[in-house]
Amino acid sequence: MTIQTSRDRWLWGLLLVVAGLYLFRLGAVGLYEPAEGRYAEIARTMVTSGDWVIPRLNGVRYFEKPPLLYWTTAVSFQWFGLNEFAARLPTALAALVGIVATVMLGMTLGRESACPESRAEPALSEVEGSRDRGVGVRAGLILATSLGYFLFARVVRPDMWLIAGLTVGLLFLVRGFLGRGHPRTWSVGVGLALGITVLAKGAIGVAIPLGVLGVFRILSRRSVVGRGQRGRLEQWGGLRRFSLWWGLGVFLAVVLPWHVWIAVRDSQFFWFYVVNEHLMRFVNHRVHSDATPLPILLFWLVSGVWAFPWATLLPVAWVERRLWIPWRHASRLDRAFNLVGLWAVVVVGIFTASASRAEYYALPALPAVAVLVGKFWAEIDAKRIVLTSPARWIPAVVYLVLGVVGVLVFKQVVLPGRVEAMAWGEMIQRVFLSVPFATSLGIPTQELNEAGIWQALRISLGVLLVTGAFAAFSMHRRRSCMRTLAISMIPLLCLTQQGFQLFEPVWSSKVLAQQLAPRLSPGTPIVVDGPFENANSLGFYLNRPSPLVIYRGVMWDLAFGSTYPEAQPMFLKKRRDLAHWATTQRSFCLITEAEEGWAKFQEILPTAVATPVAKSCRKVAYLVQ
């Protein structure tokens, strides 16, 4: 057994441990609102109603996203029951598929020998020595330990299915470019993968690959000017044998049935789904939009946070000229690595140009970043790189800054006695967990101490900073720095679970639903005061056949669906609507903000008697008779 093989086996073991974290305690925390509550409720409705074609949220038509996430979550509910684990399992499995595809992509690019055709030109990498076979396991470990990838893999969202499909599509494109395998095989693979991305999140699943191939063609044409017919053929490599009809046929077979079926059943689908949710979303002129786009610089910063800690190595690799090989001097294998680099750049570029950019939009670039940094890591382990530039100190500086910021946060926020959330809560929620702003969390430090959160935070932060700083300062030690950096992420990834548990009372209606369930009869109507997004997981937890009634909340998620005639009885838009509706009910449950309580309804319902029956951090429920 060679040293290289022994080291790689150790890395494979570490990758399996980290992958296990993606399923560990997956259902320990309640579904947070609005995203998880929304998607889980749509899937629950599919199971209970039997209608798997038209997505419905609280009984209202919901066409913002394609159905792949709803279908997989609904199947999970049928197999594992109606619970948080079943809701999050498809997303976690999609994340694991993305990790496996990234490993296979790195292995494809990291083989010692390419096909004979790829040796038509001398490669810079071949001059230095054969590429290391360990690129794949390193790329997979980098992706699995990236902060943003792990966070969103434990949240019910369609993004992981988009990333998995794009990564598989990139894998087949690279294999086709290198001429490996039968053209029909990777043509079908590309069509199937891109069809999954469209069913996961719409046309962006096709826009990204087309953008990558378009930029790739422009750069390739410039590099073959003056090299004749052979140069023009070489720019596409094995992709010139792409079986268009097979790829396109499989793609259309995956994408068309649902889109055509629902377009036939609903005449307004095309305008809302295609025009409003794709074209107008890109320029941030959607009807019924609640989006607040991030500034470009903040978007770039957050994108780097999702790739933490490996984003700190990108400047080092760039200075060492390992991220991009000049096109005129590159072999086909080198150009395949450049294709992966273009993937990351185009993803960030598309959403930088979009006027509706959100903090998590750059996540599809993470597998490509993982492969590039994995190649850099493999070359360090193979002793082909001696880090001498000042850029090698960038990771050390980043960890030092994080340590200083952590000390300041602890001093300014924790020691005074309360976690003030007007500034810090907005930052945490908007930047890190993608939920709407909150005005105040007000969680006492005493409760955090009782839960052991701060002790775990201090231990994890200490381990992260010590091991991370060690890895950063030892960049000149080829064999240990990267592994130490990967190990340093394990306590931080474990800490994210405790972070979700800490804010569960604020972001989820689970506690409120648990208190309500034994106090309400199945036929008691429930009225939600304000936007439905503030309590959209109630339907999931109560599992009631009748939808919630919304008072003063026709906006955002339910705005478009509320225009349909069958949805009108679910919405009480004015005070007199609530007063008239209450006269037709023997009793009902009213859920409102805890700060306001019943006082504001006494004038509307002067003869009603309200009894508090449940309360959570933000909401209080009354039984009104």
Side-chain angles (χ1 to χ4, degrees), residues 187-193 195 245-255:
S187 299
V188 170
V190 170
L192 179 61
W245 293 114
W246 275 99
L248 183 61
V250 171
F251 172 79
L252 294 178
V254 173
V255 171

Side-chain angles (χ1 to χ4, degrees), residues 379-396:
E379 291 177 336
I380 290 178
D381 279 351
K383 302 182 181 180
R384 292 199 294 268
I385 298 178
V386 178
L387 299 177
T388 58
S389 67
R392 72 182 188 276
W393 298 107
I394 291 178

Side-chain angles (χ1 to χ4, degrees), residues 100-335:
V100 172
T102 302
V103 171
M104 296 178 65
L105 178 59
M107 293 175 66
T108 300
L109 291 168
R111 288 179 178 175
E112 293 183 11
S113 59
C115 62
E117 189 178 2
S118 69
R119 296 181 179 273
E121 305 170 33
L124 293 182
S125 58
E126 293 171 355
V127 173
E128 298 171 349
S130 61
R131 282 189 173 89
D132 182 25
R133 288 181 180 269
V135 174
V137 63
R138 288 164 175 80
L141 186 57
I142 288 168
L143 181 63
T145 54
S146 296
L147 179 61
Y149 195 81
F150 182 81
L151 279 176
F152 283 91
R154 300 177 66 84
V155 174
V156 185
R157 297 190 67 93
D159 300 272
M160 281 299 144
W161 284 106
L162 172 67
I163 295 172
L166 288 175
T167 308
V168 172
L170 177 59
L171 169 63
F172 281 111
L173 279 177
V174 169
R175 290 184 61 83
F177 181 77
L178 295 177
R180 298 175 182 170
H182 195 281
R184 184 178 297 174
T185 301
W186 42 262
S187 299
V188 170
V190 170
L192 179 61
L194 296 189
I196 289 175
T197 63
V198 172
L199 282 182
K201 213 168 180 183
I204 191 62
V206 174
I208 290 175
L210 291 180
V212 172
L213 292 177
V215 176
F216 184 81
R217 175 174 173 79
I218 293 173
L219 296 177
S220 298
R221 292 188 64 181
R222 290 182 178 180
S223 67
V224 300
V225 173
R227 294 167 63 179
Q229 180 67 18
R230 179 181 176 183
R232 286 192 292 272
L233 292 176
E234 181 63 23
Q235 64 176 317
W236 284 110
L239 288 179
R240 63 180 182 271
R241 294 186 292 134
F242 182 84
S243 180
L244 177 63
W245 293 114
W246 275 99
L248 183 61
V250 171
F251 172 79
L252 294 178
V254 173
V255 171
L256 283 184
W258 179 78
H259 289 85
V260 172
W261 193 354
I262 199 170
V264 170
R265 292 181 59 176
D266 195 306
S267 60
Q268 300 186 57
F269 170 76
F270 179 83
W271 175 87
F272 183 79
Y273 178 79
V274 177
V275 178
N276 191 64
E277 290 301 311
H278 284 81
L279 303 178
M280 297 177 69
R281 176 189 285 270
F282 189 82
V283 296
N284 199 29
H285 286 302
R286 285 190 302 160
V287 180
H288 313 306
S289 173
D290 64 321
T292 303
L294 288 182
I296 292 178
L297 292 180
L298 182 56
F299 173 71
W300 290 345
L301 175 63
V302 174
S303 301
V305 170
W306 299 144
F308 180 84
W310 307 104
T312 61
L313 297 175
L314 291 177
V316 186
W318 178 263
V319 172
E320 296 292 337
R321 299 182 180 180
R322 299 291 168 171
L323 290 184
W324 186 265
I325 298 175
W327 220 277
R328 289 182 175 275
H329 306 289
S331 70
R332 186 182 297 180
L333 194 57
D334 295 323
R335 289 199 294 273

Side-chain angles (χ1 to χ4, degrees), residues 29 147 150-151 154 491-501:
V29 181
L147 179 61
F150 182 81
L151 279 176
R154 300 177 66 84
L492 181 62
L493 298 183
C494 295
L495 179 66
T496 59
Q497 176 66 26
Q498 293 177 304
F500 280 117
Q501 290 176 335

